[in-house]
Amino acid sequence: MDLTANRRQVLAGAAAVVGASTLAAGSAHPASAHGSDTATPFPLGVASGDPLPDSVILWTRLIRDRRSSRPVEVSWQVAKDDRFRRVVRSGKEWARPELAHSVHVDARGLEPGREYFYRFKAEGQLSPVGRTRTAPHRHARPDHLRFGVASCQDLQNGYWPAYWGLADEDFDVVFHLGDYIYEYDPNSRFADRRHTSPQTLGLDQLRTLDDYRNRHAQYKSDPALRAAHAAGAWVVTWDDHETENNYADLVDELDSGAAHQTPAEFSRQRAAAYQAYYEHMPIRAHLRPGRDGMRIYRRFDFGLLARVNVLDTRQYRTDQPGPGDLGPEPFGAGNTSGTLTGDEQERWLAHGLVHSPARWNVIAQQVMMSRTRFPNPTGQPPLTVVNLDQWDGYMPQRQRLLQLLADKRVDNPVVLAGDIHSTWISDLKLNFDDPASPVVAAEFVGTSISSDFPVAFDAPLKQANPLLNPHVRYFDGLKRGYLRCDVTRESWRTDVRVVDTIDVREAPVYTSASFAVEAGRPGVVPA
């Protein structure tokens, strides 16, 4: 089979082709590309993630009757070919009701840096086929690493044509930097994109484990997202909307009335959100069901070419300074005790950067690091404001990190981010107010898959950036899409991949801009 030519057919949910090495005798029922095949136990598809040189996490979730309380035995296979004639690993797992009948297989004993195919079988039926790839050996020197960066997929705001393009990219890995689901009540201009109803309507948030499970399942039912997961391995991390907008540690969002919660109440909500996240993601993590907290910051080495440090800037952060997102810059500058990562994660990151053997050192995280001044939308003093929910609200910690990169001469640091639903490509400097200050890193902030950036802000920011933010090399708030990064020992290239509309399920994906970083020269230049 020509996998490239048939990628959409195979990866959007077509059943595995039964070859000489089938799991067992029995017919395969294709999972519908539109999620309408109720016969299959695999309507949410399959996914893989957290690739290591010798292993990868394989994921699926069986959809059972709500009253079903029995575990279901699930078989799995990993093969070198998509017809499963060369099966290299296989086994059985239990899909248990206490984890929503989800399955996480840590498929070990694989070869480094190679492509594999995988599938599951339950109740006599085969799942869709997934494709994955292991990381190179830790001492390998691969010629290149090619990966995608995605974030922010508000289902109610529109469709996800960008994911069809991402599924066709043949990436080594995809990094999803948060806001995988949104917690808001049903409200969409598209009749088929209205959110599931939570147990309590009117709060504009989710509360219970069933609330979060249902919302994750709804998002996973989208055929473009299923295709993108089945096309390759993902590394995921959360931001705020997987739990609740703008929460910080156990500090609830700034809301009132029935929507507001004490830290003890919010802890129970967060525990439900984290469990549902684990149940629906191909992530290597330790979940303690019903207990709050789950470590998801972790590190991936792609041979000696790139080290990627994946952060969690929600679970351990202190609350942002000021009463809202936009506020005076001194609020962030004076936030000396503020942290986005917590002390332990900050030390972990510093150690991983300083002692890295890699040519490129990547910080993959949620919110924009670059100092970014916005014209005050009120027109009142101060004339400029910053987003206090980003690193601008935590300037002392940002300065510590940038100083570390400079003082320890960390090789070729690059920061990746999402969250702001727009594309920003910037130089990170020790002193953003000094044109002569050295550039210490590059930052690539990807736009959203479907979440809104206010159209009215686009033109004013494009006009203001050369004066207010001269270190910003590129900005666009109009297009939705993802980033495509191609890394070699000599250079890093980022292509901004976008669609013109999210009003339809499929739209052409094209490159709207390309930028590069030369190894040893941290400034961003047009490619």
Side-chain angles (χ1 to χ4, degrees):
M1 178 186 298
D2 180 354
L3 182 63
T4 302
N6 294 280
R7 186 175 301 279
R8 288 197 183 185
Q9 177 185 355
V10 173
L11 299 179
V17 178
V18 182
S21 302
T22 55
L23 288 167
S27 62
H29 295 266
S32 166
H34 297 284
S36 60
D37 185 352
T38 57
T40 175
F42 303 103
L44 307 187
V46 298
S48 66
D50 283 10
L52 301 178
D54 64 345
S55 67
V56 68
I57 298 294
L58 309 179
W59 172 92
T60 192
R61 179 192 166 193
L62 311 183
I63 297 299
R64 318 300 305 142
D65 185 282
R66 290 178 60 87
R67 295 164 295 182
S68 175
S69 59
R70 66 178 183 88
V72 179
E73 189 176 66
V74 180
S75 302
W76 58 272
Q77 284 181 321
V78 178
K80 292 185 176 180
D81 66 301
D82 63 335
R83 292 178 179 267
F84 291 82
R85 289 172 174 164
R86 292 179 291 162
V87 174
V88 295
R89 289 291 181 270
S90 62
K92 296 180 178 180
E93 295 283 343
W94 288 99
R96 301 186 182 278
E98 57 267 29
L99 292 178
H101 291 97
S102 63
V103 176
H104 293 75
V105 173
D106 196 350
R108 295 186 173 272
L110 305 178
E111 298 174 25
R114 73 160 296 137
E115 179 182 77
Y116 288 99
F117 299 86
Y118 64 95
R119 64 184 179 186
F120 300 90
K121 186 173 185 179
E123 299 177 331
Q125 299 185 66
L126 287 170
S127 75
V129 174
R131 169 186 171 272
T132 193
R133 180 178 291 276
T134 53
H137 189 278
R138 64 190 183 95
H139 296 307
R141 298 179 180 271
D143 294 332
H144 74 278
L145 174 68
R146 196 166 181 271
F147 63 88
V149 181
S151 65
C152 304
Q153 53 202 51
D154 186 347
L155 183 138
Q156 295 196 133
N157 202 50
Y159 299 101
W160 298 336
Y163 272 142
W164 289 118
L166 188 147
D168 287 336
E169 292 277 11
D170 196 22
F171 284 135
D172 295 311
V173 66
V174 171
F175 293 94
H176 194 287
L177 301 182
D179 293 345
Y180 191 96
I181 65 167
Y182 281 72
E183 77 277 27
Y184 299 131
D185 280 352
N187 181 21
S188 176
R189 60 194 176 98
F190 303 99
D192 60 345
R193 305 294 278 187
R194 289 175 59 84
H195 273 159
T196 53
S197 292
Q199 179 175 296
T200 305
L201 280 167
L203 302 177
D204 219 24
Q205 58 187 241
L206 307 174
R207 284 282 179 85
T208 70
L209 183 55
D210 278 347
D211 285 347
Y212 285 105
R213 283 172 170 171
N214 293 339
R215 189 65 54 84
H216 272 284
Q218 180 185 30
Y219 275 56
K220 275 289 199 309
S221 70
D222 183 274
L225 178 57
R226 292 202 313 271
H229 270 297
W234 284 38
V235 172
V236 299
T237 185
W238 54 45
D239 195 13
D240 53 344
H241 289 287
E242 290 89 350
T243 301
E244 185 175 333
N245 179 53
N246 276 11
Y247 83 94
D249 193 359
L250 291 178
V251 179
D252 193 10
E253 181 182 13
L254 185 64
D255 46 25
S256 59
H260 187 69
Q261 298 181 86
T262 66
E265 291 169 334
F266 185 69
S267 176
R268 291 190 289 272
Q269 177 183 324
R270 198 178 77 163
Y274 286 8
Q275 178 168 337
Y277 185 87
Y278 172 82
E279 291 171 349
H280 291 84
M281 295 294 161
I283 187 171
R284 185 182 282 105
H286 178 61
L287 173 74
R288 298 173 298 173
R291 298 184 64 182
D292 188 23
M294 182 172 71
R295 174 175 165 168
I296 66 166
Y297 65 86
R298 56 213 192 279
R299 182 174 293 127
F300 297 90
D301 286 334
F302 295 87
L304 296 174
L305 180 59
R307 166 169 285 186
V308 183
N309 303 277
V310 181
L311 304 190
D312 173 358
T313 62
R314 280 292 162 188
Q315 185 174 185
Y316 314 104
R317 73 154 65 187
T318 56
D319 198 12
Q320 65 191 54
D325 285 355
L326 294 180
E329 198 168 327
F331 283 18
N335 191 14
T336 55
S337 62
T339 175
L340 281 170
T341 61
D343 293 342
E344 181 178 342
Q345 185 179 186
E346 184 176 354
R347 289 192 295 269
W348 169 88
L349 174 61
H351 185 272
L353 291 168
V354 171
H355 297 283
S356 171
R359 178 73 160 174
W360 297 88
N361 287 280
V362 186
I363 304 172
Q365 46 91 59
Q366 292 72 22
V367 292
M368 186 155 59
M369 188 173 291
S370 171
R371 200 279 306 281
T372 310
R373 289 172 172 158
F374 300 90
N376 192 337
T378 69
Q380 303 296 317
L383 296 180
T384 64
V385 292
V386 296
N387 188 341
L388 300 170
D389 187 54
Q390 300 176 167
W391 284 84
D392 275 335
Y394 304 79
M395 292 185 195
Q397 185 184 17
R398 178 176 64 196
Q399 192 63 35
R400 289 197 301 272
L401 176 55
L402 295 179
Q403 197 69 54
L404 174 85
L405 297 177
D407 291 348
K408 299 299 184 180
R409 299 186 179 183
V410 174
D411 282 345
N412 302 307
V414 176
V415 175
L416 302 175
D419 176 68
I420 197 169
H421 311 166
S422 46
T423 303
W424 300 74
I425 297 175
S426 307
D427 292 333
L428 297 179
K429 308 182 71 168
L430 282 179
N431 184 347
F432 288 102
D433 289 319
D434 180 5
S437 179
V439 176
V440 297
E443 181 176 45
F444 297 99
V445 180
T447 187
S448 66
I449 292 294
S450 64
S451 304
D452 254 347
F453 184 82
V455 173
F457 288 4
D458 180 79
L461 279 172
K462 286 174 178 172
Q463 184 177 9
N465 273 341
L467 177 63
L468 299 181
N469 307 300
H471 49 279
V472 174
R473 304 304 179 205
Y474 178 82
F475 161 75
D476 180 62
L478 298 180
K479 297 290 193 293
R480 313 275 73 81
Y482 57 92
L483 301 179
R484 179 175 66 193
C485 302
D486 203 326
V487 183
T488 69
R489 287 193 61 79
E490 292 74 33
S491 66
W492 175 303
R493 178 189 175 105
T494 294
D495 297 322
V496 182
R497 302 283 285 164
V498 298
V499 296
D500 283 332
T501 180
I502 56 172
D503 289 351
V504 295
R505 286 191 176 274
E506 297 202 32
V509 177
Y510 63 94
T511 299
S512 63
S514 298
F515 286 83
V517 181
E518 181 184 344
R521 298 173 61 91
V524 177
V525 296

